[in-house]
Amino acid sequence: MGTPVNIIVGSHVWVEDHSLAWVDGEVSKLNGEDAEIQTSNGKRVVANLSRIYPKDMEAPAGGVDDMTKLSYLHEPGVLQNLKIRYELNEIYTYTGNILIAINPFQRLPHLYDAHMMQQYKGAPFGELSPHVFAVADVAYRAMINEGKSNSILVSGESGAGKTETTKMLMRYLAFLGGRVATEGRTVEQQVLESNPVLEAFGNAKTVRNNNSSRFGKFVEIQFDKQGRISGAAIRTYLLERSRVCQISDPERNYHCFYLLCAAPQEEIEKYKLGNPKSFHYLNQSNCYELVGVSDAHDYLATRRAMDIVGISGKEQDAIFRVVAAILHLGNIEFTKGKEIDSSVPKDEKSKFHLNMTAELLMCDPRALEDALCKRVMITPEEVIKRSLDPLGATVSRDGLAKTIYSRLFDWLVDKINVSIGQDPNSKSLIGVLDIYGFESFKANSFEQFCINFTNEKLQQHFNQHVFKMEQEEYTKEAIDWSYIEFVDNQDVLDLIEKKPGGIVALLDEACMFPKSTHETFANKLYQTFKNHKRFIKPKLSRTDFTIAHYAGEVLYQSDQFLDKNKDYVVPEHQDLLSASKCSFVAGLFPLLPEETTKSSKFSSIGSRFKLQLQQLMETLSSTEPHYIRCVKPNNLLKPAIFENVNIMQQLRCGGVLEAIRISCAGYPTRRAFFEFINRFGVLAPEIVEGNHDEKVICGKILEKKGLKGFQIGKTKVFLRAGQMAELDARRAEVLSNAAKTIQHRIRTHNARKQFIALRKATIHVQSLWRGRLACKFFESMKREAGAVKIQKNIRRYQARKGYSKLRVSGLVLQTGLRAMAARKEFRFRKQTKAAIIMQTRWRCHRASSYYKKLKRASIVSQCRWRGRIARRELRKLKMAARETGALKEAKDKLEKHVEELTWRLQLEKRLRTDLEEAKTQEITKLQNSLQSMQIKIDETSALLVKEREAARKAIEEAPPVIKEKQVIVEDTKRIDSLTGEVESLKASLHLEEQRADNSERRYAEAQESIEEKQKKLQETEGKVHQLLESLSRLEEKLTNLESENQVLRQQAVSVSMAPNKFLSGRSKSIVQRSAEGGHIVGDPKPALDMHSHSIIQRDHPEVEEKPQKSLNEKQQENQELLIRCIAQHLGFAGNRPIAACIIYKCLLQWRSFEVERTSVFDRIIQTIGNAIETQDNNDVLAYWLSNASTLLLLLQRTLKASGAAGMAPQRRRSSSATLFGRMTQSFRGTPQGVNLSFVNGGLNGGVDTLRQVEAKYPALLFKQQLTAYVEKIYGMIRDNLKKEISPLLGLCIQAPRISRASLVKGSSRSLANSAAQQALIAHWQGIVKSLGNFLNTLKANHVPPFLVRKVFTQIFSFINVQLFNSLLLRRECCSFSNGEYVKAGLAELEHWCYKATDEYAGSAWDELKHIRQAIGFLVIHQKPKKTLDEISHDLCPVLSIQQLYRISTMYWDDKYGTHSVSSEVISNMRVLMTEDSNNAVSNSFLLDDDSS
């Protein structure tokens, strides 16, 4: 594991530390094989290169959830990863398929609620964060799918959380498979309720723990064929029996002894007990009480637990009587008797305890004394009774105590199993093993030897499983692993259990010889194992020995090995207690077969221990194992304390480091191709840039660096131990060279920049000084030429206004100087005047030219530099202007749109006013014409009534003819009279037809006039259409009257025909007409009106005189026609559902709401139920949702409860708290978008014109049933959409991982990248397409918009919950690039909401607030600069502190490599979370899907 060749100066390494186990530092100096290291805690240490390990400086800040992903798989790397995750409240970590659980010592309810269990249900192992639920789910799925039993081995020392982990396992298994309750309590509850009883009788205080389990517990959870928990059984193993008689300071005996001594006073007096110090089995140690534990309180709690598990009060008294008897038995001391080698009770005190023991066990005191002090030897000749010396009697006493306690414990376990109940037909089970861990104290005796032997066996099983998993991984990746050696501890097991030469065998052999001592036993061990590499003889001890276990060397003291191993099965004890008068005690010692009672056979605890252990291993071998290693982070039992040394010891004892050693024997480092290329692609950039496959690239990189022994699998690179460090060292070297090159370039750039600036400054200074010199020279020239007038004029010409004062002073000075020069040098100046003028001109011109050139060059340089800065600013402003411009443009468009809408609204108001006036005028005209037509129709109806009366009279005269009698052919007169009557009826019928034709012609003329007026008044087309429908209904009524008249005449003609013919013909005509009317989608009301008039207007005398059809038959016929009509897809008229209107109108016409009993409501509900039964077609569901909701609204506005009829459903109605229970109550104010005007124009005024009727109980019940069906249809539609988009949501969540896996450096990968992004957007577009199709379906079926808004609000809430929970549960999703991907998808959803408009989308977009703010946090830059206040109030105001903490700690930047928020912000979050720790709701960081 160490890689000394890769350690160089500057390397970051781990070095051992006594207080911290491992501490990180940096190598400052190398001295041969030693390295000097500057540690992070300020120390300077020197360590050998083989004892230091490299540190991964690129490890994720939040650690890794699976430690096989660590770049360096060694002890300090594992410890540091666990520490980082524990500080983030990530208490679970994988090591392959092994789960490490660190006890947080605080409540974390959000990790174990029902929503979390739902997340892990069926999730592949490793996809979500590590959790105990994931292990249970894998075991359950393997059991269900493969039909093989599974086991979960939970190990760890006391206080590590094994019991709590076991409870969570059983809770989750019950959640998966359901429960089978027994006596009101579930199986897992009963198992957990048995813990206090088993702890009282099986737990004790040890050196390290106050409540250490001194037995192993294997809980078998049984399942039936459906995968439900059907039973359970608790199997106990390896109870530490020797503790009953022998304990060492500062340990305690089993808890039950101390609990009984602290029982109420009447119990103590009953059993003659006292202070624990007065009993030999308890006073061998000075520890009698536990800090913070009340034995008296625990005694009462244990009694209550016994009641719960089904132990009766009588049995409880017997149990504690046996416990008290064991305490008294231990106080019996022996001394030499009168005979040689005999023994008797020592004194009166011993006799008192002997009598108390016999009294409590309900046996004879004399028989008890004989059983303790004598033995019976059976020979072929005679039976010999032999006395025991005091030492033998003491051994016999202790053997009896251990046997009684062991039998009592077994009885308790059997009783608990009977109480829980087992399933004999179960063929599948999941076992949970909770057993004591490896122990190593200052003084280790026989108990620690047996416990560590158990752990060696379990470790071998664990090693085989780990090696098997390694083999499966290698086989899966198709790599060669044949040369990998298996790390085994078989040599230690042979040392302990091998026959005949193992330690256990030698111990049994020594126990069989009476004169053997612990010294002779130790010498035998020294001689037998002197050359064994695992057995070590201490130099300063004659009886101790050391065994090199897998977790370290343990020094054992063999002083009491022989005494603790003896476990004689004494027939005298068996006979004594089986004859007890107490049925409970006798039940503990049932009679044995005769052959087993003839002699006392030797039995040892070691051998029995080994046998039980063998049975346990056979059970585990028959199941598929899963491992959970529980770790206690500190001995203070407080949260947020991580003791490195303590945890390292537990990891060694738990076998985790041994598993790592097995992994290191093979290929400890495994990297996916993409990760390997991403990290080590810099070692061979030319290979990465080439167009090669990822697998080929990885192989070429490794071959280029000359590594040997690596393997290339199907998806991963497998590296041997140390190769990762070597690659990192070479990578660090490449990066170091690159950094040096960059530094060289930067320094060159800085030096050149500094030189240019210095040169520019120098030139500027030179120009200033030269200018100053020129000025001085010019001033001197002016003073010299002051006397010359021409010079004065030239100077005045060239000087500027700024020199006006100087010019005045120069004139004064020139005047004086000129006078002086004229007096002194007039002749000289006159001769040199011309030369001076030329020199002045030339020098002035030269200085001016140089100054102008210098000024121009400076301006050019400044302009270029300022232009460069300005261009940078311009680019920034352009980028800002694009965003601002887009917003401003959108704002301008919206403002223009608002102004245009305002103008249109005003125009519409004016047009509507004009339209209303025109409508009023036209309606008046049409009403006049309608009245005239109504008068004509009334006249026609009167004529028809007269005809019907004439026909009725004819029928009344007909009955004598209908009687059966023989017709005489000669009676021609009668026939002629009948023929004459028929002819007269035909004539009247012909006359009525002519009148009807006249009426039709008049109606046609009226219709033509109406059509002409309709062309002139197109604005009032809606109202005219309704009036036309009214006229058509009147015409249909006229037709109905004519047809009935015709039927009556036919009856008069065919009076001799059978009555059933008339009935069948009439029914046929009605059905035919109704069927025809039902198929007319645009105008179905004529059929409806025909039904209603045929019922209402039919005369009662006809019904009485013609009993062919009873009233019930007619109602049944009408209901049948209605049901047949609505069962078909009638469609919509305008935006109104036809079926709902037909149902409502029929029920209203038939007065069905006001009757006490009717079956029409049940038939309508049944029709709706049949239509939507197992219906996945959203179009059909939307059709019925539209009809049912409209009908429900009509009923809500029409029905009112009537007195007692409304009292029955009132209670149920008031308790309606569902969505549609509230919806129906809100129907009193008609929701927007619900149009209730009927197709036939019968309710032109809408719901305000509906008359209320007093509804009876059937109508109110129908309304409730209809409400339930509306809710059901709504839920089916919503769930169908959820099912449709759920797979797409999963793809959207997983797509970033797929796309990132395809992103490889190099220009040749651009096509793959774009294809991956296209695939991701395609998933989101698929969701948008599903939403669009769903919206179109609802709109096509005219579902009320408020229902559409509600369903989309719930769907978006579902999307929000799924995406947000996936983000928090999967660390790979909580990255920068994934945030960009999801943000792009959310933009697609936002665009869809914009297109869908607020009428249908409503506030659906606001439901995505959690995922929107979380994604906004992921993609924001400069997170370390953000304060907690900015994050919680500005960026993510909706997210809780727990959610922010989860995102902040899981975030990783896979694109730019930036960090998450600062450590100060993380600390502040922890403080706030600690303050809210008592609030169970606030602790949950996941969202619940409450859209159901």
Side-chain angles (χ1 to χ4, degrees), residues 28-84:
S28 58
K29 186 187 297 183
L30 289 175
N31 297 321
E33 293 296 320
D34 295 330
E36 185 176 318
I37 302 166
Q38 182 68 38
T39 62
S40 58
N41 56 7
K43 297 181 181 180
R44 188 177 295 274
V45 298
V46 177
N48 191 277
L49 289 177
S50 61
R51 301 296 300 167
I52 62 179
Y53 298 94
K55 180 181 179 182
D56 186 11
M57 298 304 295
E58 297 185 8
V64 296
D65 54 6
D66 188 347
M67 287 193 287
T68 59
K69 299 177 182 178
L70 290 173
S71 299
Y72 301 108
L73 191 60
H74 45 51
E75 287 187 13
V78 169
L79 185 66
Q80 178 68 9
N81 188 68
L82 292 176
K83 183 176 182 180
I84 291 174

Side-chain angles (χ1 to χ4, degrees), residues 1100-1307:
H1100 295 286
E1102 178 188 356
V1103 178
E1104 294 174 358
E1105 297 170 4
K1106 296 291 183 181
Q1108 291 88 349
K1109 284 190 176 181
S1110 65
L1111 182 61
N1112 291 335
E1113 291 175 348
K1114 294 175 183 177
Q1115 291 179 350
Q1116 189 70 22
E1117 179 184 349
N1118 293 325
Q1119 291 177 13
E1120 187 68 34
L1121 291 174
L1122 175 62
I1123 297 303
R1124 193 182 305 166
C1125 179
I1126 65 174
Q1128 302 172 5
H1129 193 293
L1130 301 181
F1132 302 86
N1135 58 351
R1136 298 175 295 276
I1138 295 174
C1141 298
I1142 291 178
I1143 294 172
Y1144 176 74
K1145 187 64 176 178
C1146 287
L1147 296 178
L1148 202 62
Q1149 292 283 1
W1150 299 341
R1151 297 183 179 273
S1152 299
F1153 300 130
E1154 305 172 35
V1155 297
E1156 293 289 349
R1157 295 180 61 185
T1158 180
S1159 62
V1160 65
F1161 297 135
D1162 294 335
R1163 299 192 64 184
I1164 293 173
I1165 289 296
Q1166 185 179 5
T1167 302
I1168 298 176
N1170 293 336
I1172 65 171
E1173 186 177 3
T1174 63
Q1175 185 62 257
D1176 294 330
N1177 188 349
N1178 284 337
D1179 189 61
V1180 176
L1181 293 175
Y1183 169 77
W1184 281 107
L1185 178 61
S1186 177
N1187 280 278
S1189 59
T1190 303
L1191 181 58
L1192 181 61
L1193 176 56
L1194 291 169
L1195 297 180
Q1196 182 68 23
R1197 297 304 300 258
T1198 303
L1199 304 185
K1200 65 177 181 180
S1202 60
M1207 294 302 292
Q1210 186 65 31
R1211 180 174 64 258
R1212 284 171 292 186
R1213 215 170 42 243
S1214 62
S1215 64
S1216 177
T1218 60
L1219 165 66
F1220 290 95
R1222 299 189 299 269
M1223 182 192 80
T1224 54
Q1225 295 176 12
S1226 67
F1227 276 166
R1228 293 183 177 86
T1230 308
Q1232 180 184 359
V1234 179
N1235 194 329
L1236 295 177
S1237 52
F1238 280 77
V1239 250
N1240 62 355
L1243 290 178
N1244 294 331
V1247 290
D1248 295 332
T1249 63
L1250 294 175
R1251 66 179 181 90
Q1252 290 193 338
V1253 296
E1254 291 189 357
K1256 301 297 182 181
Y1257 176 72
L1260 298 176
L1261 181 61
F1262 172 64
K1263 189 176 70 172
Q1264 291 184 356
Q1265 292 175 334
L1266 191 60
T1267 302
Y1269 264 98
V1270 172
E1271 291 181 0
K1272 180 179 180 181
I1273 300 171
Y1274 175 89
M1276 293 172 66
I1277 290 179
R1278 182 195 60 214
D1279 294 341
N1280 285 346
L1281 182 56
K1282 282 186 180 181
K1283 292 177 184 178
E1284 184 177 353
I1285 68 173
S1286 291
L1288 296 175
L1289 279 177
L1291 293 174
C1292 290
I1293 296 167
Q1294 296 174 359
R1297 299 203 297 273
I1298 299 170
S1299 62
R1300 283 200 299 272
S1302 64
L1303 297 176
V1304 185
K1305 295 180 180 179
S1307 58

Side-chain angles (χ1 to χ4, degrees), residues 847-865:
S848 178
S849 300
Y850 181 80
Y851 174 75
K852 290 179 179 178
K853 289 180 181 180
L854 187 60
K855 182 178 180 182
R856 188 181 300 112
S858 300
I859 291 173
V860 171
S861 300
Q862 291 175 352
C863 288
R864 290 182 177 177
W865 177 253

Side-chain angles (χ1 to χ4, degrees), residues 523-715:
N523 289 328
K524 184 68 173 178
L525 294 180
Y526 297 155
Q527 294 175 4
T528 306
F529 304 115
K530 60 182 178 180
N531 296 325
H532 201 288
K533 63 178 181 179
R534 296 278 192 169
F535 185 89
I536 303 172
K537 178 183 180 301
K539 295 181 180 179
L540 302 179
S541 175
R542 299 175 60 186
T543 59
D544 298 349
F545 63 94
T546 300
I547 296 179
H549 291 285
Y550 72 93
E553 297 180 356
V554 180
L555 177 64
Y556 296 101
Q557 287 74 38
S558 65
D559 298 350
Q560 298 179 346
F561 264 52
L562 272 68
D563 296 337
K564 292 182 177 181
N565 185 52
K566 292 178 181 179
D567 182 28
Y568 291 96
V569 180
V570 181
E572 289 79 2
H573 297 169
Q574 175 75 29
D575 296 340
L576 172 71
L577 296 179
S578 61
S580 171
K581 297 178 181 179
C582 176
S583 59
F584 180 82
V585 176
L588 295 179
F589 292 87
L591 294 176
L592 299 177
E594 185 178 355
E595 59 272 9
T596 62
T597 60
K598 290 181 179 179
S599 62
S600 173
K601 295 185 178 180
F602 172 77
S603 174
S604 70
I605 290 179
S607 299
R608 180 177 297 182
F609 201 91
K610 188 170 70 172
L611 181 61
Q612 286 187 340
L613 183 59
Q614 182 179 356
Q615 294 173 353
L616 173 62
M617 299 311 299
E618 290 175 355
T619 302
L620 294 179
S621 299
S622 64
T623 63
E624 184 68 25
H626 307 271
Y627 294 91
I628 300 178
R629 297 305 195 219
C630 297
V631 177
K632 183 169 67 175
N634 59 79
N635 290 323
L636 301 177
L637 310 183
K638 293 183 178 179
I641 300 177
F642 193 88
E643 297 177 353
N644 292 4
V645 177
N646 185 19
I647 290 178
M648 283 304 301
Q649 177 63 22
Q650 293 181 63
L651 293 178
R652 288 192 182 97
C653 295
V656 176
L657 300 183
E658 188 73 7
I660 293 173
R661 194 161 66 89
I662 293 175
S663 297
C664 290
Y667 301 95
T669 304
R670 301 127 192 220
R671 283 289 178 272
F673 293 147
F674 167 72
E675 294 178 1
F676 184 83
I677 296 172
N678 192 35
R679 181 161 183 166
F680 298 112
V682 295
L683 298 178
E686 69 282 356
I687 298 176
V688 177
E689 293 294 336
N691 190 11
H692 299 293
D693 183 65
E694 292 179 342
K695 184 175 182 178
V696 176
I697 293 174
C698 295
K700 289 188 175 182
I701 292 174
L702 292 169
E703 291 173 358
K704 180 180 179 180
K705 296 305 170 183
L707 295 183
K708 304 294 183 182
F710 64 87
Q711 294 275 1
I712 305 293
K714 294 181 179 179
T715 61

Side-chain angles (χ1 to χ4, degrees), residues 963-1124:
K963 295 180 180 179
E964 293 184 2
K965 62 181 181 177
Q966 186 176 2
V967 180
I968 302 173
V969 180
E970 288 79 4
D971 194 1
T972 57
K973 292 181 181 180
R974 186 64 176 171
I975 295 174
D976 292 338
S977 63
L978 290 176
T979 304
E981 290 178 5
V982 170
E983 291 297 331
S984 63
L985 289 175
K986 286 183 179 181
S988 62
L989 178 59
H990 181 68
L991 180 61
E992 289 299 326
E993 287 178 353
Q994 289 178 353
R995 291 177 182 177
D997 292 337
N998 294 334
S999 298
E1000 287 181 358
R1001 284 196 298 271
R1002 288 195 297 271
Y1003 171 72
E1005 293 174 359
Q1007 187 177 12
E1008 289 176 0
S1009 63
I1010 291 172
E1011 289 177 355
E1012 292 175 359
K1013 293 177 182 179
Q1014 184 180 10
K1015 293 179 182 179
K1016 299 177 182 179
L1017 300 173
Q1018 293 182 356
E1019 295 82 358
T1020 59
E1021 185 179 359
K1023 291 293 182 178
V1024 173
H1025 180 65
Q1026 293 178 1
L1027 292 174
L1028 287 174
E1029 289 176 345
S1030 299
L1031 292 176
S1032 63
R1033 189 173 70 253
L1034 293 175
E1035 180 187 6
E1036 184 64 25
K1037 289 180 181 179
L1038 180 61
T1039 307
N1040 291 340
L1041 293 175
E1042 292 176 355
S1043 60
E1044 287 201 8
N1045 190 15
Q1046 185 177 1
V1047 170
L1048 291 173
R1049 296 193 180 194
Q1050 289 176 354
Q1051 286 178 347
V1053 175
S1054 57
V1055 290
S1056 62
M1057 296 174 64
N1060 58 348
K1061 295 182 179 179
F1062 168 72
L1063 176 62
S1064 60
R1066 175 173 171 79
S1067 301
K1068 185 176 181 181
S1069 63
I1070 294 176
V1071 172
Q1072 183 177 358
R1073 281 180 287 160
S1074 64
E1076 293 173 356
H1079 285 290
I1080 301 173
V1081 177
D1083 189 14
K1085 292 310 294 176
L1088 174 64
D1089 294 332
M1090 181 274 292
H1091 302 324
S1092 61
H1093 282 277
S1094 65
I1095 295 170
I1096 296 172
Q1097 295 180 2
R1098 201 171 278 139
D1099 293 331
H1100 295 286
E1102 178 188 356
V1103 178
E1104 294 174 358
E1105 297 170 4
K1106 296 291 183 181
Q1108 291 88 349
K1109 284 190 176 181
S1110 65
L1111 182 61
N1112 291 335
E1113 291 175 348
K1114 294 175 183 177
Q1115 291 179 350
Q1116 189 70 22
E1117 179 184 349
N1118 293 325
Q1119 291 177 13
E1120 187 68 34
L1121 291 174
L1122 175 62
I1123 297 303
R1124 193 182 305 166

Side-chain angles (χ1 to χ4, degrees), residues 64 418 453 455 557 803 850 866 887 890 900 941 1030 1101 1118:
V64 296
V418 171
F453 172 42
N455 281 274
Q557 287 74 38
Y803 296 100
Y850 181 80
R866 289 170 181 164
L887 292 174
E900 183 181 352
S941 299
S1030 299
N1118 293 325

Side-chain angles (χ1 to χ4, degrees), residues 1215-1410:
S1215 64
S1216 177
T1218 60
L1219 165 66
F1220 290 95
R1222 299 189 299 269
M1223 182 192 80
T1224 54
Q1225 295 176 12
S1226 67
F1227 276 166
R1228 293 183 177 86
T1230 308
Q1232 180 184 359
V1234 179
N1235 194 329
L1236 295 177
S1237 52
F1238 280 77
V1239 250
N1240 62 355
L1243 290 178
N1244 294 331
V1247 290
D1248 295 332
T1249 63
L1250 294 175
R1251 66 179 181 90
Q1252 290 193 338
V1253 296
E1254 291 189 357
K1256 301 297 182 181
Y1257 176 72
L1260 298 176
L1261 181 61
F1262 172 64
K1263 189 176 70 172
Q1264 291 184 356
Q1265 292 175 334
L1266 191 60
T1267 302
Y1269 264 98
V1270 172
E1271 291 181 0
K1272 180 179 180 181
I1273 300 171
Y1274 175 89
M1276 293 172 66
I1277 290 179
R1278 182 195 60 214
D1279 294 341
N1280 285 346
L1281 182 56
K1282 282 186 180 181
K1283 292 177 184 178
E1284 184 177 353
I1285 68 173
S1286 291
L1288 296 175
L1289 279 177
L1291 293 174
C1292 290
I1293 296 167
Q1294 296 174 359
R1297 299 203 297 273
I1298 299 170
S1299 62
R1300 283 200 299 272
S1302 64
L1303 297 176
V1304 185
K1305 295 180 180 179
S1307 58
S1308 62
R1309 301 292 171 179
S1310 59
L1311 292 177
N1313 298 345
S1314 60
Q1317 294 177 0
Q1318 292 272 343
L1320 176 65
I1321 296 299
H1323 300 322
W1324 283 102
Q1325 289 176 347
I1327 294 178
V1328 170
K1329 183 178 179 181
S1330 297
L1331 294 176
N1333 294 338
F1334 186 71
L1335 176 59
N1336 293 335
T1337 300
L1338 297 181
K1339 290 168 68 176
N1341 288 278
H1342 301 287
V1343 176
F1346 78 97
L1347 285 179
V1348 179
R1349 289 193 296 271
K1350 187 65 178 178
V1351 71
F1352 280 119
T1353 299
Q1354 293 188 355
I1355 289 298
F1356 273 65
S1357 175
F1358 171 75
I1359 294 174
N1360 177 66
V1361 170
Q1362 295 300 315
L1363 291 178
F1364 187 77
N1365 289 346
S1366 297
L1367 196 71
L1368 297 189
L1369 287 175
R1370 304 179 182 180
R1371 186 175 181 274
E1372 61 269 22
C1373 294
C1374 211
S1375 63
F1376 185 89
S1377 62
N1378 190 65
E1380 290 183 328
Y1381 286 129
V1382 179
K1383 184 178 180 181
L1386 292 178
E1388 294 285 331
L1389 292 181
E1390 183 179 16
H1391 182 63
W1392 180 87
C1393 290
Y1394 176 76
K1395 291 197 304 180
T1397 69
D1398 288 341
E1399 181 183 4
Y1400 296 106
S1403 61
W1405 174 247
D1406 295 335
E1407 294 296 323
L1408 300 177
K1409 52 191 175 184
H1410 286 86

Side-chain angles (χ1 to χ4, degrees), residues 216-285:
K217 181 171 66 176
F218 188 69
V219 181
E220 294 180 356
I221 305 175
Q222 300 165 345
F223 295 83
D224 56 17
K225 295 180 180 180
Q226 288 75 31
R228 298 188 310 166
I229 295 179
S230 57
I234 299 176
R235 316 291 183 200
T236 58
Y237 297 92
L238 317 174
L239 176 68
E240 188 181 339
R241 298 172 53 178
S242 59
R243 181 171 291 272
V244 177
C245 305
Q246 295 175 338
I247 55 175
S248 57
D249 195 44
E251 296 185 353
R252 291 206 322 172
N253 212 316
Y254 289 106
H255 293 325
C256 61
F257 297 115
Y258 304 91
L259 300 184
L260 186 58
C261 291
Q265 189 62 33
E266 59 271 15
E267 297 283 334
I268 294 177
E269 293 176 356
K270 177 181 178 181
Y271 300 130
K272 299 296 188 294
L273 299 176
N275 193 289
K277 296 180 181 179
S278 61
F279 294 100
H280 171 68
Y281 285 165
L282 305 183
N283 61 18
Q284 300 175 37
S285 169

